Amino acid sequence: MRFPSSIFVSVSLFTAETTAALYLSSTYRSAGDQIWQGLTLLFTLVPSVLVQLTLTFIHRDLGRDRPLVLLLHILQFGPIVRCLEAFCIYGSVGRVEEPYVSITRKKQIPRGGQSEEVERQVGQAEGKLFTHRAAFARTSVIQAFLGSAPQLTLQLYICILQQGVSIGRGTLMVISLLSIVYGALRCNILAIKIKYDDYEVDVRPMAYLCIFLWRSFEIATRVVVLVLFSSVLQLWVLPVVLLNFLVFFLYPWILFWQSHSPFPENIEKTLTRVGTTIVLCLLTFLYAGINMFCWSAVQVKLNDPDLINKSQNWYRVAVYYMLRFVENASLLLLWFIYKTDFYKFTCAPLLVLQLLVAYAIAIFFMLVFYQFCHPCRKLFTSSMTQGLWNCSSLLCLMCNSDSPQNRPMGKSPSPATCQETANDGANDTSSDTTDDMPDETMYDMLNDTTTYDTSNEIGNNICDGINGDINHSVTCKA
């Protein structure tokens, strides 16, 4: 049984960040900065309460007779108690004979051949420890993007306004950045284990390193861009943040509405319709918070029984990073135009270039991870670089589709046939939102092949696109 190191890291970051935030808020109170004190406490207590509720919900403590544990959760000491409980379970393994064990079957990642199923026995202690790990993996994500990310943005904004970094503020900023990166890392690992639940997943140290570098550059760049923009255009930063947040908050609900699926009822048996709605809103709220600062590896899908989209769409990843890069560049351009004498000692062009290069480095490490370090990359039917290249080719083809030199020689297809082809393409675009589409593989590419035959020559025009997880070809013969 593995040592519960992830639980220890989660609790350590939670405790360190809470302690540093409380100390810094006391210094703000001594200095008379009541606004900064209130915001610092807000970004500390709200995620702490959500963490306590998540631990209570996952461990089902409300239906059990454990008043002391509930009291400690109310006092915000729940993560510490859960950590001690997990270490007690780990220390008791092997000392007491367990009455029964369960048998799990997992497939091994294929290495040159077919995958084989491996059976292993799982005792009660290991099962309880697995529940603790899963709970802390989720609380790490909540703490990172609903607490640490806004906290880091606030403290960096205060540093720019006051033109200085105190020891307490610098300590809190470092801990918050580590907490965000660790939460994003746990989100990536959680997504892999959910999507490949049937396989025995072994994440190697090089994969952890790639994810850490990818998320560090991505999140740090995003926070700095938002802070620089807000320092010169205070009134415009709120519409930018709200627009980003509302888009990602409403996006899963729009897909759910388009799918015409019934309301999810299998989240928790004890929850009413109102309780289920609240849980789903909190889930999409967290999803929007993650996408505000970085790409969410876990894609929410409300019409799925697990509420998670287990298919991978490279088109979404490409569109997200292209739009985010354009947005960051636009915000930096506005900062460069409207910057005041406050930044007279700063080389603005060099700072803009550094931030854009840092975001490009983040994308580079993401490509390295999916291409070489992903633990389940052998299950991919196509690599990420190939998918992104096909996506860019599709965009270029869409831009040049109306040019005369790209039209085939000979007779043009009939209007009815072309209309049928267009309708098929429209159906493919909505494949992510419909449940009656086949979903047999994780990383299938959409290949649309249109062939034109004439009496003298045959011209082939092949367009490879990415949208969904189905393959089909349409043949039009004049």
Side-chain angles (χ1 to χ4, degrees), residues 8 26 86-87 116 118 139 141 145 211 325 336 343 353 380 384 430:
F8 178 76
S26 65
F87 276 93
E116 298 180 357
V118 178
T139 57
V141 179
F145 293 100
I211 297 175
F325 187 86
F336 183 80
Y343 295 97
L353 180 61
F380 296 173
M384 183 179 186
S430 60

Side-chain angles (χ1 to χ4, degrees), residues 315 317-327 363 391 395:
Y315 180 76
V317 180
V319 170
Y320 175 86
Y321 276 101
M322 284 190 295
L323 293 180
R324 187 64 77 198
F325 187 86
V326 172
E327 182 192 6
I363 298 176
C391 178
L395 294 177

Side-chain angles (χ1 to χ4, degrees), residues 122-280:
V122 179
Q124 285 183 322
E126 189 173 356
K128 293 179 180 179
L129 203 58
F130 176 80
T131 304
H132 280 285
R133 285 196 179 97
F136 276 101
R138 287 155 177 81
T139 57
S140 296
V141 179
I142 294 174
Q143 175 67 24
F145 293 100
L146 299 184
S148 302
Q151 188 76 267
L152 176 61
T153 307
L154 172 66
Q155 302 306 325
L156 183 59
Y157 180 76
I158 298 174
C159 289
I160 292 180
L161 292 183
Q162 298 183 357
Q163 294 184 338
V165 182
S166 62
I167 296 178
R169 192 183 300 123
T171 303
L172 179 59
M173 290 170 59
V174 172
I175 297 174
S176 297
L177 180 60
L178 292 176
S179 177
I180 303 170
V181 175
Y182 180 75
L185 187 147
R186 297 308 308 174
C187 185
N188 274 91
I189 303 302
L190 186 64
I192 294 173
K193 292 185 177 181
I194 291 176
K195 293 178 181 179
Y196 302 97
D197 185 56
D198 296 335
Y199 290 87
E200 190 73 28
V201 178
D202 183 20
V203 185
R204 300 186 179 277
M206 189 58 65
Y208 282 110
L209 179 61
C210 281
I211 297 175
F212 182 83
L213 294 175
W214 161 25
R215 295 305 192 179
S216 298
F217 281 101
E218 181 180 8
I219 295 170
T221 303
R222 178 64 176 170
V223 171
V224 173
V225 169
L226 290 176
V227 170
L228 289 177
F229 178 76
S230 62
S231 64
V232 295
L233 296 171
Q234 291 87 353
L235 297 179
W236 286 98
V237 67
L238 187 60
V240 172
V241 173
L242 287 179
L243 180 62
N244 275 270
F245 190 85
L246 288 176
V247 167
F248 290 107
F249 178 80
L250 297 176
Y251 180 69
W253 291 101
I254 294 174
L255 295 181
F256 175 71
W257 175 72
Q258 291 179 347
S259 64
H260 303 286
S261 300
F263 189 80
E265 300 287 353
N266 58 343
I267 299 178
E268 182 64 32
K269 295 181 180 179
T270 58
L271 290 178
T272 61
R273 177 65 68 92
V274 177
T276 303
T277 304
I278 294 175
V279 171
L280 294 178

Side-chain angles (χ1 to χ4, degrees), residues 378-399:
K378 293 184 179 180
L379 301 176
F380 296 173
T381 57
S382 61
S383 63
M384 183 179 186
T385 53
Q386 179 184 353
L388 296 180
W389 176 258
N390 290 337
C391 178
S392 61
S393 301
L394 176 63
L395 294 177
C396 294
L397 184 63
M398 291 173 60
C399 296

Side-chain angles (χ1 to χ4, degrees), residues 326-444:
V326 172
E327 182 192 6
N328 289 340
S330 302
L331 296 180
L332 288 174
L333 179 61
L334 292 174
W335 169 79
F336 183 80
I337 294 174
Y338 292 101
K339 71 181 188 303
T340 60
D341 294 337
F342 184 81
Y343 295 97
K344 61 182 179 180
F345 297 108
T346 303
C347 183
L350 180 61
L351 180 59
V352 171
L353 180 61
Q354 289 175 342
L355 292 174
L356 295 179
V357 170
Y359 200 78
I361 292 175
I363 298 176
F364 169 76
F365 280 113
M366 178 192 67
L367 295 175
V368 171
F369 168 71
Y370 280 106
Q371 187 72 25
F372 303 105
C373 301
H374 196 285
C376 302
R377 64 186 181 277
K378 293 184 179 180
L379 301 176
F380 296 173
T381 57
S382 61
S383 63
M384 183 179 186
T385 53
Q386 179 184 353
L388 296 180
W389 176 258
N390 290 337
C391 178
S392 61
S393 301
L394 176 63
L395 294 177
C396 294
L397 184 63
M398 291 173 60
C399 296
N400 298 328
S401 59
D402 295 333
S403 58
Q405 60 271 21
N406 290 333
R407 296 177 182 173
M409 300 297 294
K411 298 180 181 180
S412 60
S414 62
T417 308
C418 293
Q419 182 66 30
E420 179 183 355
T421 306
N423 292 334
D424 289 340
N427 293 333
D428 293 338
T429 306
S430 60
S431 62
D432 286 333
T433 62
T434 55
D435 294 334
D436 54 347
M437 291 293 183
D439 189 9
E440 300 177 354
T441 59
M442 285 292 181
Y443 294 86
D444 290 346

